[in-house]
Amino acid sequence: DVRLFQHSGQVVSYGLLGLLLMAAPWWAGDYVMSQLHFICIYSIVGFGLMMLVGFTGQISLGHAAFLAVGAYTEALMQAAGWPFWLTLPCAALFSAAVGIIVGLPALRLKGIYLAIATLAFGVIVEEIITRWESLTGGNSGQHLKAIELFGMKLDSDTELYYLILALTAIACVALANLLRSPTGRAFVAIRDSEISASCMGVNLAKYKTMSFALSAALTGVGGALYAHKVTFIS
């Protein structure tokens, strides 16, 4: 069960899916291409939420707040003149830092109480973004320019699509490998039984916090890409 692909049929099916997605600009119309952008972005966000909720068993009802944190980090750093190859990791790191702060209550809260805490976090982030007009623009929002990567300006939908598709594939493979590692096993052990995991030597505080941080980082990446896709956030 540590193999990346369980059988050769999966290799073929995923390979065909990859080829189909890579050829999308030639067979898909403008509307379908736009939807593929969002599917890939939401897939990255979904990977993060799946790791936290599905594999670690921690409830989060305010996960969109991490997407907002990533989007605004990207917008503000781009406006300050930072290159995309630095702004994207910073969006992930800052979202992860916020995830650690949110993950701390998870050490003592469970079930409905954790759900309420994460829901409150989402409301708080929305209020901060709305009220802190000098930084975020408030309801007036923030505009984003096209991504410039190593001297190339990705100002067409096709170029942006390939960037988002590549990052989605990287996130998928990275998450699959993480879940096959001892860290991933620890996440699953916590989900199944915290008492049993603790008796087996799993550090609950460490791995719960790590799960929140990694989940938030992936969601922050999705937020940064989302901001560039819609070009305006508010």
Side-chain angles (χ1 to χ4, degrees):
D1 63 345
V2 297
R3 294 168 59 187
L4 189 60
F5 298 103
Q6 299 303 311
H7 50 79
S8 58
Q10 285 189 343
V11 178
V12 174
S13 59
Y14 280 114
L16 291 174
L17 175 62
L19 290 173
L20 183 67
L21 291 174
M22 289 179 66
W26 286 274
W27 60 262
D30 291 341
Y31 175 76
V32 174
M33 279 298 298
S34 178
Q35 295 308 303
L36 286 174
H37 280 80
F38 287 115
I39 287 171
C40 290
I41 291 168
Y42 293 148
S43 293
I44 296 175
V45 177
F47 293 150
L49 190 60
M50 179 184 70
M51 177 173 57
L52 180 66
V53 179
F55 284 90
T56 318
Q58 304 301 298
I59 299 173
S60 176
L61 297 182
H63 225 65
F66 297 124
L67 187 140
V69 170
Y72 274 92
T73 301
E74 176 67 26
L76 293 170
M77 294 189 74
Q78 187 196 55
W82 288 55
F84 180 75
W85 62 270
L86 278 178
T87 60
L88 187 67
C90 284
L93 289 172
F94 188 57
S95 298
V98 176
I100 291 174
I101 296 172
V102 179
L104 294 177
L107 305 180
R108 294 183 176 274
L109 299 177
K110 295 180 182 179
I112 187 66
Y113 303 104
L114 179 58
I116 292 171
T118 56
L119 182 60
F121 164 71
V123 175
I124 290 169
V125 168
E126 183 178 358
E127 282 297 306
I128 291 173
I129 290 172
T130 304
R131 306 291 180 186
W132 200 351
E133 295 185 4
S134 61
L135 180 69
T136 66
N139 291 320
S140 299
Q142 292 272 346
H143 285 277
L144 286 94
K145 298 177 289 186
I147 294 173
E148 196 166 323
L149 189 61
F150 303 119
M152 294 189 303
K153 200 168 187 178
L154 309 183
D155 50 3
S156 73
D157 280 347
T158 299
E159 292 168 335
L160 180 61
Y161 169 73
Y162 280 125
L163 174 64
I164 294 173
L165 181 62
L167 291 173
T168 304
I170 292 170
C172 182
V173 174
L175 181 61
N177 280 287
L178 174 68
L179 294 175
R180 294 185 303 143
S181 71
T183 300
R185 305 285 181 172
F187 290 163
V188 174
I190 292 172
R191 178 197 66 190
D192 291 344
S193 173
E194 291 190 13
I195 295 174
S196 298
S198 181
C199 291
M200 292 165 57
V202 174
N203 187 324
L204 299 183
K206 172 186 173 182
Y207 286 104
K208 280 186 179 182
T209 306
M210 187 185 298
S211 180
F212 263 98
L214 292 174
S215 177
L218 276 174
T219 307
V221 170
L225 296 174
Y226 176 85
H228 280 291
K229 172 57 185 173
V230 298
T231 70
F232 174 78
I233 52 175
S234 169

